[in-house]
Amino acid sequence: METIDYNSFAKKCVDDLKSLQDRFQEEYDLNWYENWFYNQATGLLTFSSNEVELNFKYFEVGSFSEKLNTWMWSWDNDDTLDNVKEKTKLIKRFGQRSNFSRLTNGCFQSDEFEAWEFTAIATKVTNGIGVYRPVNHEQLQIFLVITEFVDNEVAQNIKDKYVQCDIHEYKRIAFVCQHLNHTSKIGFEEAFETSEDMELMEEEDFQAWCNECEVVRLKEGEWNDKSMEFSGIKLVCEKCYFEMKELNLGHR
Ligand SMILES: [Zn+2]
Ligand SMILES: [Zn+2]
C-alpha cells in the first residue's frame, strides 16, 4: 500500500496552488480593485473599486504571528467565528487520517513559508478556487481560502441581513417594536420560537413585540396598518434582541 509522506504531499499542494492561483488571478484580476474587505459574520470577501464590486465566499485557514513565529489553525482559534473556520475541521480530519501532525496540532512554531504551505494544503483538501492574504495588521498574517464566487445580488442579500450595532458590532438583523428596550420588562411576544445563533430560513427574521403591542394586535385580529403603526417596528441587532428577550423572559 502506498503511503504519502507529508513533505512531498505539501510540495505537490504548493505546486498545484501556483497554477490554480494563476488561473484565478487571470479570471478575476484582483489587483484591479482598490479596496478589499472581509467579514467573518457574512463569510464574504469583497473587492471593490468605485461602484464595481466582486464577492467571494471564503474561510480562514489560520494565522501566522510574525512576532511569535507561530502558526495557529483557525479551528484552534476562539476569536474566529465558526462560520469562517468550519471548513478547517476537514483539514484536521484529513491530517488525522494521514497521520500528519502539522495538520492536527493547533498552534506551534512555524514560518511564513510553511504558512503558505498550510494554505495550499487547505485549498487542496477543501477544493478552494484561490487564496488571499489581506495586508496584515499587528504582525498577524491571516490566510484565506476562497471557496466560491458570489454574484453581487446574492452578496447584497446576505449583507442586508446584517447590521452594525453600536454595542455589539456587526451582527444579524432583528426586529422589535418601538417599546422594547434594555431596561424595562414589558413582555416579549415572538413571531416564532427563537434561540440565539439559530439558523434562519431565507424569508425568516427575528421579530418580537411587547404586551401592549400584543393587545392591539389581538384586538385588530392581525398585523394591519393600525397595529403596525402602534408597534413602530425598529431594527436592532440579534444580540440586542436576545438581551431584550432575556430581560423579559429570562430564567434565573
Ligand atoms: Zn410594543
Ligand atoms: Zn446590539
Side-chain angles (χ1 to χ4, degrees):
M1 205 181 104
E2 193 196 5
T3 51
I4 31 169
D5 80 282
Y6 178 75
N7 289 331
S8 40
F9 173 68
K11 189 179 177 307
K12 168 96 171 76
C13 289
V14 170
D15 290 344
D16 289 351
L17 176 58
K18 275 178 191 154
S19 39
L20 183 76
Q21 189 70 6
D22 283 347
R23 285 202 302 275
F24 180 70
Q25 184 58 37
E26 206 172 297
E27 184 164 2
Y28 296 109
D29 193 12
L30 301 186
N31 300 330
W32 184 84
Y33 298 88
E34 288 164 26
N35 312 299
W36 55 266
F37 174 76
Y38 67 103
N39 185 284
Q40 292 191 355
T42 59
L44 290 174
L45 169 64
T46 304
F47 296 88
S48 65
S49 239
N50 299 319
E51 300 294 287
V52 187
E53 222 182 72
L54 176 65
N55 287 284
F56 299 100
K57 279 266 176 199
Y58 80 94
F59 70 90
E60 300 194 11
V61 182
S63 53
F64 173 67
S65 163
E66 292 173 19
K67 206 156 122 194
L68 305 169
N69 283 309
T70 50
W71 168 261
M72 183 187 272
W73 287 102
S74 60
W75 52 257
D76 195 42
N77 192 338
D78 294 336
D79 294 333
T80 310
L81 295 186
D82 283 344
N83 194 26
V84 289
K85 70 177 177 190
E86 197 57 35
K87 279 213 156 65
T88 58
K89 290 173 186 160
L90 293 173
I91 305 154
K92 187 183 180 186
R93 242 173 278 145
F94 171 78
Q96 284 163 341
R97 281 200 307 272
S98 315
N99 252 325
F100 293 160
S101 62
R102 300 305 263 176
L103 309 186
T104 57
N105 295 331
C107 185
F108 46 85
Q109 290 290 304
S110 183
D111 57 35
E112 193 179 335
F113 176 81
E114 201 181 29
W116 278 115
E117 216 169 64
F118 294 147
T119 304
I121 291 170
T123 308
K124 170 74 83 190
V125 173
T126 63
N127 280 316
I129 61 169
V131 297
Y132 190 67
R133 187 183 63 177
V135 176
N136 71 84
H137 50 96
E138 289 157 12
Q139 298 175 305
L140 196 68
Q141 301 177 357
I142 315 277
F143 291 78
L144 314 181
V145 165
I146 296 167
T147 51
E148 59 177 308
F149 166 79
V150 179
D151 134 333
N152 284 345
E153 200 183 315
V154 174
Q156 195 53 51
N157 286 341
I158 296 172
K159 290 174 191 178
D160 286 347
K161 296 274 183 193
Y162 290 81
V163 63
Q164 182 73 37
C165 173
D166 291 341
I167 315 165
H168 304 112
E169 300 184 340
Y170 203 66
K171 296 281 180 223
R172 279 195 294 186
I173 55 169
F175 297 94
V176 295
C177 75
Q178 60 181 329
H179 316 106
L180 281 168
N181 58 69
H182 286 280
T183 50
S184 44
K185 276 179 96 157
I186 54 173
F188 198 88
E189 298 287 334
E190 290 185 294
F192 53 91
E193 187 66 34
T194 65
S195 61
E196 204 165 346
D197 296 324
M198 73 185 284
E199 288 218 24
L200 294 176
M201 295 285 133
E202 173 83 33
E203 67 285 356
E204 283 178 333
D205 283 310
F206 294 114
Q207 293 171 39
W209 51 94
C210 72
N211 286 338
E212 270 195 70
C213 282
E214 181 65 357
V215 171
V216 176
R217 187 182 77 94
L218 292 175
K219 200 173 137 213
E220 292 298 315
E222 60 177 333
W223 284 116
N224 58 19
D225 287 352
K226 203 167 166 192
S227 49
M228 285 296 280
E229 197 194 332
F230 183 80
S231 72
I233 294 288
K234 65 186 176 190
L235 194 154
V236 296
C237 94
E238 173 175 5
K239 194 92 188 155
C240 282
Y241 182 95
F242 283 99
E243 284 179 5
M244 291 173 191
K245 185 173 182 177
E246 178 68 23
L247 170 72
N248 283 286
L249 307 177
H251 16 262
R252 287 175 299 127

